[in-house]
């Protein structure tokens, strides 16, 4: 009997060790197989249960020229939500930016806007950058900022900007936390030159868009619907639904926003773009179908244009 008891005791102890071990191995194998099936299903565009998964297409991008009115001053932004790249793009343009005129020659964004509204300004900017800008909106900065309260706060990197009081701890960049309604009072307080202010405003806007998508993918669409009655825009309910769809696609992944500095220089009171600007625009936005692979120098507003020539003439006369 002692041998039988010893055998049974040994068997039970062995089983007590092996059974949980075998169970763990089987569980790990099951999870690995399930993960592989989900990956294969995502590549095929369906969930593991057979339900179709919405995958982004080249049409899942939204580009808009934005004019924010602040008193007698206008702020110009070019924004895009791209679900395929899962990327937010934002460029800011000072009002003195030289753009090609549809009638020939050149003008500035401020002049184009004041002569024929945001549609003309968007058209001439698209012509200058050789990209597609299908939509525009124009509205009062204060009203839009107030409506964006639900966007919460963001922390903005102030590196490269001469802002009084912008301090950083050792090894870290200077930053500023803000909510939408603080943006324009802070920009006014910092009193940056127009080009720097445009760049910083674009970066701030990009950070708010990123935060909104990560927090609640419906917030951007809700903001535009709420402000629509006070906007001059091409956006309709169809575009609002498209924005909701794009933001939902982006929120399912890891959307990103990389701050940009608009290439160019201020010459005789005009901000001239250059070939680097065109290259950046082609990377961030949708190139125009009529865009030539390598635009000639004469197509760049930085070259001799009626505005540039007159500025040079006035300088030589003085």
């Amino acid at each position: 009997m002692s041998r039988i008891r010893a055998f049974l005791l040994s068997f039970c102890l062995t089983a007590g060790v092996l059974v949980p071990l075998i169970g763990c191995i089987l569980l790990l194998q099951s999870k690995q197989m399930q993960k592989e099936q989900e990956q294969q299903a995502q590549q095929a565009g369906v969930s593991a249960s057979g339900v179709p998964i919405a995958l982004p297409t080249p049409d899942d991008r939204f580009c808009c020229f934005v004019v924010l009115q602040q008193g007698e001053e206008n702020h110009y932004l070019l924004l895009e939500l791209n679900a395929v790249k899962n990327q937010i793009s934002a460029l800011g343009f000072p009002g003195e930016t030289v753009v090609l005129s549809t009638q020939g020659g050149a003008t500035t964004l401020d002049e184009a806007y004041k002569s024929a509204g945001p549609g003309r300004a968007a058209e001439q900017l698209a012509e200058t950058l050789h990209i597609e800008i299908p939509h525009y909106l124009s509205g009062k900065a204060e009203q839009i900022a107030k409506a964006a309260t639900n966007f919460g706060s963001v922390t903005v990197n102030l590196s490269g900007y001469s802002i009084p009081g912008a301090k950083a701890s050792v090894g870290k960049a200077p930053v500023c936390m803000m909510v939408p309604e603080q943006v324009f009072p802070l920009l006014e307080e910092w009193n940056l030159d127009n080009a720097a202010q445009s760049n910083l405003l674009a970066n701030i806007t990009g950070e708010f868009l990123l935060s909104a998508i990560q927090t609640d993918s419906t917030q951007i669409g809700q903001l535009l619907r709420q402000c629509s009655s006070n906007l001059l825009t091409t956006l309709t309910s169809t575009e609002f639904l498209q924005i909701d769809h794009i933001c939902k696609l982006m929120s399912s992944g890891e959307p990103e926003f990389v701050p940009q500095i608009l290439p160019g220089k201020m010459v005789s009171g005009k901000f001239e773009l250059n070939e680097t600007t065109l290259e950046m625009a082609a990377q961030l936005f949708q190139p125009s179908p009529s865009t030539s692979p390598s635009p000639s120098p004469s197509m760049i507003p930085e070259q001799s244009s009626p505005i540039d020539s007159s500025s040079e003439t006035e300088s030589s006369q003085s």
Side-chain angles (χ1 to χ4, degrees):
M1 290 295 292
S2 60
R3 291 182 178 179
I4 294 175
R5 288 178 179 176
F7 171 78
L8 291 175
L9 179 60
S10 175
F11 177 79
C12 291
L13 290 173
T14 303
V17 173
L18 291 179
V19 170
L21 182 61
I22 293 173
C24 290
I25 293 174
L26 293 176
L27 181 61
L28 290 174
Q29 289 180 340
S30 176
K31 288 185 176 181
Q32 181 64 28
M33 291 177 62
Q34 183 179 1
K35 185 177 180 180
E36 292 177 355
Q37 290 176 352
E38 289 177 353
Q39 290 176 345
Q40 293 174 356
Q42 287 178 354
Q43 292 176 355
V46 295
S47 66
S49 62
V51 180
I53 295 176
L55 297 177
T57 69
D59 291 332
D60 291 323
R61 60 193 304 162
F62 174 80
C63 181
C64 187
F65 177 69
V66 177
V67 183
L68 299 176
Q69 307 163 11
Q70 187 186 20
E72 297 182 358
E73 183 181 7
N74 292 327
H75 303 277
Y76 303 96
L77 301 172
L78 186 57
L79 307 175
E80 179 169 289
L81 306 176
N82 189 317
V84 174
K85 296 181 179 179
N86 215 4
Q87 173 181 290
I88 299 168
S89 298
L91 286 180
F93 297 84
E96 302 91 341
T97 301
V98 180
V99 292
L100 298 179
S101 172
T102 53
Q103 288 78 29
T107 185
T108 67
L109 277 178
D110 267 339
E111 292 167 345
Y113 179 83
K114 292 175 182 178
S115 66
R120 176 64 58 82
E123 179 184 4
Q124 295 186 194
L125 184 61
E127 180 71 17
T128 303
L129 299 179
H130 309 297
I131 60 173
E132 295 183 354
I133 306 179
H135 301 290
Y136 65 79
L137 70 84
S138 176
K140 293 183 178 180
E142 183 179 355
Q143 291 180 347
I144 296 174
K146 186 175 182 179
T149 302
N150 291 337
F151 281 32
S153 62
V154 297
T155 300
V156 179
N157 189 328
L158 301 179
S159 297
Y161 298 98
S162 300
I163 296 177
K167 299 180 180 179
S169 56
V170 177
K172 295 185 178 180
V175 297
C176 178
M177 180 178 289
M178 63 184 74
V179 297
E181 289 187 86
Q182 292 178 309
V183 174
F184 290 98
L186 283 173
L187 289 176
E188 186 174 353
E189 175 186 335
W190 291 336
N191 195 31
L192 300 170
D193 64 75
N194 290 349
Q197 186 181 79
S198 297
N199 286 321
L200 183 54
L201 178 58
N203 294 342
I204 293 172
T205 303
E207 294 291 353
F208 274 113
L209 293 176
L210 177 61
S211 176
I213 291 175
Q214 292 173 329
T215 305
D216 180 355
S217 63
T218 66
Q219 283 194 103
I220 297 176
Q222 289 175 355
L223 168 67
L224 294 173
R225 290 182 178 92
Q226 182 178 345
C227 297
S228 60
S229 61
N230 296 317
L231 297 177
L232 180 60
T233 181
T234 56
L235 303 182
T236 65
S237 58
T238 301
E239 282 73 42
F240 296 152
L241 291 173
Q242 180 193 17
I243 292 169
D244 288 339
H245 174 67
I246 293 172
C247 291
K248 184 177 181 180
L249 289 173
M250 295 179 69
S251 67
S252 64
E254 297 182 0
E256 65 174 354
F257 166 69
V258 179
Q260 304 288 343
I261 299 296
L262 181 69
K265 61 182 179 180
M266 192 72 74
V267 178
S268 301
K270 308 293 182 183
F271 189 82
E272 298 181 349
L273 306 177
N274 53 39
E275 291 190 20
T276 304
T277 317
L278 300 188
E279 294 171 0
M280 176 181 287
Q283 292 175 356
L284 298 178
F285 306 100
Q286 179 69 33
S288 171
S290 60
T291 300
S292 58
S294 55
S296 62
S298 61
M299 296 173 68
I300 314 301
E302 183 183 20
Q303 306 300 318
S304 297
S305 67
I307 289 181
D308 298 335
S309 299
S310 62
S311 298
E312 294 175 359
T313 302
E314 291 172 2
S315 299
S316 62
Q317 289 177 349
S318 60

